[in-house]
């Protein structure tokens, strides 16, 4: 028996159990989805059954529906049909209840199997670390490769973490800038209405309401952009995006409300919206670049992890 035979056997066993746990975890997720779907269908069917039972009861107990059916000479025929529909609905309810019971039983069995397996992924990692240490301490050539892999993994993992943080902050900045754009769009719509449909004071009120909200949102968005800039700096990208000022002046509407001032306001809003849209597109582009880099780093991390396992399994 070689120096590593015992730990290799433990690694193989832990890997088999980890694979089994992954399989059961996927099955459990599918079961939960199926149970949720069946519960939804069962609720609908139970409501349908209750309706069918009420229809039967109305015909059996008399009343206007029974009187009308009797006058047309179709009471017995309709009662038979309603009873048949109630029976069919009850059968569907029973079937789905049975299905739900089966699925729930399968879920309990799966949960029990998962509990019995424990945490083989943790055990496997501990065994791999143990063998890695044994290889390094024994002077085995594989130890040097493992040490190199460990250093590269640490570097890639740190790089990936920084890019993921930048991605999350960038996505939040994009949402914040998009919120500004939506309010500017509302202001632009009100401005168009004011110019061509003589919206008057109400259009002005709507327009300025959107502009005030856009201005307030712009301050929050600029803060989000500043945070994104700092995260980009952490990954070696220099950028300082700035949102344009949202003009909320209203005095012209009070003293000079005419087609000329309306057109000037409309152009001002349009220019601001275009500038904000450019910032939004820049943010989206940067987030896409960072996301792509996250994908590359993830693949590198997975490749190094696979190589580490190959070395430790050899």
């Amino acid at each position: 028996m070689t120096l590593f035979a015992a730990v290799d056997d433990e690694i193989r066993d832990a890997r088999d159990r980890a694979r089994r746990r992954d399989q059961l975890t996927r099955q459990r997720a599918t079961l939960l989805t199926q149970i949720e779907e069946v519960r939804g269908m069962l609720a609908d069917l139970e409501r349908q059954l209750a309706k069918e039972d009420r229809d039967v009861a109305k015909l059996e107990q008399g009343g206007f529906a029974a009187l009308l059916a009797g006058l047309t000479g179709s009471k017995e025929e309709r009662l038979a049909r309603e009873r048949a529909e109630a029976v069919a609905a009850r059968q569907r309810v029973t079937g789905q209840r049975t299905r739900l019971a089966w699925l729930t039983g399968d879920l309990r069995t799966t949960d029990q199997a998962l509990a019995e397996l424990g945490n083989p992924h943790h055990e496997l990692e501990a065994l791999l670390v143990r063998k890695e240490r044994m290889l390094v301490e024994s002077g085995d050539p594989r130890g040097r490769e493992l040490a190199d892999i460990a250093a590269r993994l640490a570097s890639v993992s740190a790089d990936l973490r920084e890019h993921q943080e930048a991605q999350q902050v960038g996505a939040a900045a994009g949402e914040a800038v998009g919120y500004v754009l939506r309010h500017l769009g509302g202001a632009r719509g009100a401005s168009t209405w004011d110019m061509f449909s003589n919206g008057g004071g109400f259009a002005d009120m709507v327009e300025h309401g959107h502009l005030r909200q856009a201005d307030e949102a712009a301050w929050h968005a600029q803060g989000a952009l500043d945070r994104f800039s700092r995260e980009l700096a952490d990954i070696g990208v220099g950028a300082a995006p700035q949102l344009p000022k949202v003009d909320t002046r209203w005095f012209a509407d009070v003293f000079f409300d005419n087609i000329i001032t309306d057109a000037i306001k409309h152009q001002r809003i349009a220019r601001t919206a275009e500038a904000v849209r450019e910032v939004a597109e820049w943010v989206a582009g940067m987030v896409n670049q960072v996301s792509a880099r996250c994908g590359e780093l993830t693949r590198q991390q997975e490749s190094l992890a696979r190589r580490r396992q190959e070395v430790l399994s050899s």
Side-chain angles (χ1 to χ4, degrees), residues 101-168:
W102 289 342
L103 290 170
T104 304
D106 289 344
L107 180 62
R108 283 195 299 269
T109 301
T110 301
D111 284 341
Q112 182 179 354
L114 284 168
E116 291 172 356
L117 278 172
N119 191 349
H121 287 286
H122 179 74
E123 296 173 27
L124 177 59
E125 181 57 30
L127 287 165
L128 292 174
V129 169
R130 177 177 151 199
K131 184 175 180 181
E132 186 174 22
R133 186 171 59 251
M134 291 170 64
L135 286 168
V136 173
E137 292 175 352
S138 68
D140 190 294
R142 290 172 293 178
R144 288 190 295 273
E145 183 179 359
L146 287 169
D148 177 62
I149 290 173
R152 291 166 62 192
L153 260 177
S155 176
V156 169
S157 297
D159 202 8
L160 176 59
R161 183 170 57 253
E162 291 174 355
H163 278 75
Q164 287 173 334
E165 290 171 356
Q167 180 186 25
Q168 292 170 0

Side-chain angles (χ1 to χ4, degrees), residues 21-155:
R21 183 175 182 82
D22 290 341
Q23 180 187 29
L24 288 171
T25 300
R26 290 191 296 270
Q27 291 177 359
R28 187 178 191 277
T30 302
L31 279 167
L32 289 173
T33 300
Q34 291 172 333
I35 287 172
E36 189 65 25
E37 290 174 352
V38 171
R39 282 175 175 164
M41 287 189 290
L42 185 56
D44 291 339
L45 288 171
E46 286 173 340
R47 284 192 291 270
Q48 181 64 28
L49 175 59
K51 177 182 178 301
E52 298 295 347
D53 284 341
R54 286 195 301 271
D55 290 343
V56 171
K58 287 178 183 178
L59 288 172
E60 289 177 339
Q61 295 170 5
F64 180 74
L67 176 63
L68 185 61
L71 291 174
T72 58
S74 61
K75 178 180 178 181
E76 293 303 322
E77 179 183 342
R78 183 175 175 186
L79 181 57
R81 184 173 65 252
E82 294 292 348
R83 283 172 174 167
E85 290 176 355
V87 169
R90 186 167 286 103
Q91 288 174 340
R92 288 192 292 271
V93 167
T94 300
Q96 291 299 337
R97 284 175 178 168
T98 301
R99 184 186 175 197
L100 181 59
W102 289 342
L103 290 170
T104 304
D106 289 344
L107 180 62
R108 283 195 299 269
T109 301
T110 301
D111 284 341
Q112 182 179 354
L114 284 168
E116 291 172 356
L117 278 172
N119 191 349
H121 287 286
H122 179 74
E123 296 173 27
L124 177 59
E125 181 57 30
L127 287 165
L128 292 174
V129 169
R130 177 177 151 199
K131 184 175 180 181
E132 186 174 22
R133 186 171 59 251
M134 291 170 64
L135 286 168
V136 173
E137 292 175 352
S138 68
D140 190 294
R142 290 172 293 178
R144 288 190 295 273
E145 183 179 359
L146 287 169
D148 177 62
I149 290 173
R152 291 166 62 192
L153 260 177
S155 176

Side-chain angles (χ1 to χ4, degrees), residues 166 169-174 176-177 218-233 237-245 275-287:
V169 173
V177 175
W219 287 106
H220 292 290
Q222 187 59 58
L225 288 170
D226 292 341
R227 288 189 290 275
F228 188 32
S229 295
R230 292 194 293 273
E231 293 295 338
L232 288 175
V237 178
Q242 296 288 327
L243 284 175
K245 184 180 182 301
V276 173
R277 186 173 293 105
E278 289 177 1
V279 174
E281 291 173 355
W282 177 85
V283 172
M286 287 304 304
V287 169

